[in-house]
Structures are given as C-alpha cells and as structure tokens.
Amino acid sequence: MPARAKSIVMWVVVIFLVYAVVTNPDRAADVVRSIWDFLWGAIQGFGEFFRNLAE
C-alpha cells in the first residue's frame, strides 16, 4: 500500500475512533473492554497450552 494511502486510512480510522468515543463513550468503553477480555483470554489460553505441554 502506498505511503499516502496508509496515511489517509490511518487518519480516517483515528477520526472515526474519536467520533465514536465522543458520541457514545459508554458503548466505546464496552467495545474496548470486550477486546481486552478477548485478548486476555487468548493469552491465558496460550499460557495454559504451553503449561500443559511442559507437563
């Protein structure tokens, strides 16, 4: 992807995120919390997998 297109896409994403937080902060917080819970669960799953491999 050309550098200019990356820059434009990045700005569009940033503007959308700011808009989402400003217009509905509770929903934005729920989305971030859900993403964090998913990532934390995945990390714990990998940890358990490798712990079971070591046994």
Side-chain angles (χ1 to χ4, degrees):
M1 182 181 271
R4 182 148 174 93
K6 275 186 182 179
S7 177
I8 291 170
V9 169
M10 185 61 87
W11 276 109
V12 168
V13 169
V14 168
I15 290 169
F16 174 75
L17 290 175
V18 169
Y19 170 78
V21 170
V22 169
T23 59
N24 198 350
D26 292 332
R27 178 73 176 128
D30 289 341
V31 169
V32 170
R33 191 175 301 115
S34 296
I35 292 170
W36 175 254
D37 289 343
F38 172 78
L39 292 174
W40 184 248
I43 291 168
Q44 287 178 328
F46 279 115
E48 185 175 338
F49 171 75
F50 286 113
R51 192 175 321 113
N52 288 336
L53 279 177
E55 290 181 354

